[in-house]
Amino acid sequence: MPEYGYFLACEEFRPADLVEQARMAEQAGFQSLWISDHYHPWNDAQGESPFVWSVIGALSEAVSLPIETAVTCPTVRIHPAVVAQAAATCAVMTNGRFRLGVGTGEALNEHILGHVWPPASVRLEMLEEAILIMRRLFSGEEISHYGSHYRVENARLYTVPDEPVQIDISGFGPAATSLAARVGDGYITMMPDEELVTQFRKGGGHGKPVMGGTKVCYGTDRDEAVRTVHRLWSNQLLPGEMGQILPSPRHFEQLEPLVTEQMVRENTVCGDDVDEHVSALNAFAEAGFDRIYVNQIGPDQRGFFDFYRTKVLPQLQQ
């Protein structure tokens, strides 16, 4: 039976709100936490974007749930040697309950220092080299590295967990899925795509966890929930590679007219129909996922957690 976790959205909430949501998630029966790692929100309506490593420090004291970034890009905005230090410290603070989810990132967050945003194939090369560096540093030994994309000289992490941090790789297509199967400790994807899960397991991921996530908007007024999703998260319905290459929130806002409320209604679980919520999460279970995370869009967080505690999670755990 899959585990069910809650997905904290740094793009939408202030640090104290995220910590309180984590507490409510634990009380509601969720078994683990994901947390997004962004420099910018996707649009100004979302309105937040705290530094994820500071928030994880607070979470480590507030809850006993496992925590994972979903996902960190350890290639452009922050050097992998620094990400390794942050991840190792989080693992120590959580007594080994931290996993590092990584991916090739989006220009929205990663171009801010003025570097050229590379094509997807180069980003995958950078990610693989970054993972190599981080794994070497997790050993606690001094390392030097002179690679195609990164240099590290005489670097050693003195604060490391008893066991190396597990690194899960995000992938939405065959190339990234292949990398996850080959070098990842687990696989992350955001669609219940059985073909990608099969590719991961056949390509070297057998026995490793597969994790996925989805967003919903619980509310007693379905039309209002649809409007909330359309206002805050219409970006998730933009097609193609726009999510990876657009450089700022205002560019996503310029494309919002492409996403209609009807598209939201057809593609996002909105409202308080228990069967719809259960069905959306069961789609991941049926595709072979081991851990499934759900995020509540909008302000009615307490209503969501009460709804899932009393009506949704009991059905999923039967």
Side-chain angles (χ1 to χ4, degrees):
M1 181 180 296
E3 295 181 2
Y4 294 91
Y6 187 70
F7 190 176
L8 298 164
C10 283
E11 305 95 315
E12 196 181 336
F13 296 98
R14 298 180 69 80
D17 297 323
L18 295 167
V19 173
E20 180 58 24
Q21 289 167 24
R23 291 193 184 101
M24 290 191 289
E26 187 168 36
Q27 292 164 3
F30 286 98
Q31 296 164 286
S32 54
L33 297 172
W34 264 1
I35 184 167
S36 57
D37 180 359
H38 270 239
Y39 193 89
H40 293 137
W42 295 96
N43 54 54
D44 282 359
Q46 291 172 358
E48 297 291 339
S49 203
F51 190 54
V52 70
W53 305 106
S54 301
V55 180
I56 292 171
L59 293 173
S60 73
E61 292 294 309
V63 298
S64 61
L65 297 178
I67 303 166
E68 177 165 18
T69 54
V71 294
T72 293
C73 179
T75 61
V76 178
R77 171 170 46 107
I78 304 180
H79 192 283
V82 180
V83 174
Q85 184 184 29
T89 298
C90 289
V92 170
M93 293 182 71
T94 58
N95 296 313
R97 292 180 286 108
F98 177 77
R99 296 177 76 97
L100 178 63
V102 299
T104 57
E106 305 92 13
L108 174 72
N109 302 302
E110 307 306 324
H111 85 292
I112 59 168
L113 302 181
H115 300 300
V116 172
W117 184 237
S121 59
V122 176
R123 300 202 305 271
L124 281 171
E125 291 176 6
M126 296 173 73
L127 181 60
E128 183 168 3
E129 187 176 335
I131 291 169
L132 171 65
I133 291 167
M134 292 189 293
R135 285 212 170 109
R136 292 183 64 194
L137 285 165
F138 291 151
S139 71
E141 300 176 357
E142 181 180 301
I143 76 161
S144 294
H145 172 90
Y146 304 94
S148 299
H149 301 286
Y150 302 105
R151 292 171 62 95
V152 179
E153 292 187 350
N154 307 117
R156 177 184 172 189
L157 297 183
Y158 280 79
T159 300
V160 293
D162 294 335
E163 299 293 333
V165 178
Q166 299 288 285
I167 301 176
D168 303 321
I169 299 176
S170 173
F172 303 104
T177 302
S178 177
L179 177 66
R182 185 163 49 83
V183 305
D185 295 308
Y187 176 48
I188 293 171
T189 192
M190 298 302 288
M191 294 294 293
D193 191 322
E194 188 173 0
E195 289 186 9
L196 289 178
V197 173
T198 299
Q199 180 195 341
F200 171 74
R201 293 201 165 120
K202 287 184 176 179
H206 181 72
K208 300 175 183 179
V210 174
M211 291 152 282
T214 189
K215 290 182 176 293
V216 303
C217 188
Y218 162 80
T220 56
D221 183 332
R222 186 165 191 250
D223 290 338
E224 180 61 28
V226 168
R227 289 191 291 270
T228 297
V229 176
H230 186 259
R231 176 173 60 86
L232 293 173
W233 285 93
S234 59
N235 60 280
Q236 67 182 344
L237 295 177
L238 291 174
E241 294 183 69
M242 284 185 279
Q244 284 71 53
I245 64 174
L246 295 179
S248 75
R250 72 174 180 275
H251 292 100
F252 286 92
E253 291 166 357
Q254 289 167 7
L255 296 182
E256 285 177 359
L258 297 178
V259 179
T260 65
E261 288 189 7
Q262 184 60 30
M263 291 168 64
V264 170
R265 191 180 301 275
E266 293 172 355
N267 291 280
T268 308
V269 175
C270 295
D272 61 353
D273 186 312
V274 177
D275 290 340
E276 286 189 18
H277 286 262
V278 170
S279 177
L281 299 182
N282 275 340
F284 286 88
E286 291 166 1
F289 285 70
D290 301 294
R291 299 173 193 164
I292 303 160
Y293 294 80
V294 60
N295 168 256
Q296 162 70 358
I297 294 172
D300 191 6
Q301 296 291 315
R302 187 165 296 280
F304 164 85
F305 285 115
D306 287 343
F307 177 66
Y308 265 66
R309 176 179 55 82
T310 59
K311 296 183 178 180
V312 178
L313 289 179
Q315 288 202 37
L316 293 169
Q317 294 163 349
Q318 289 178 356

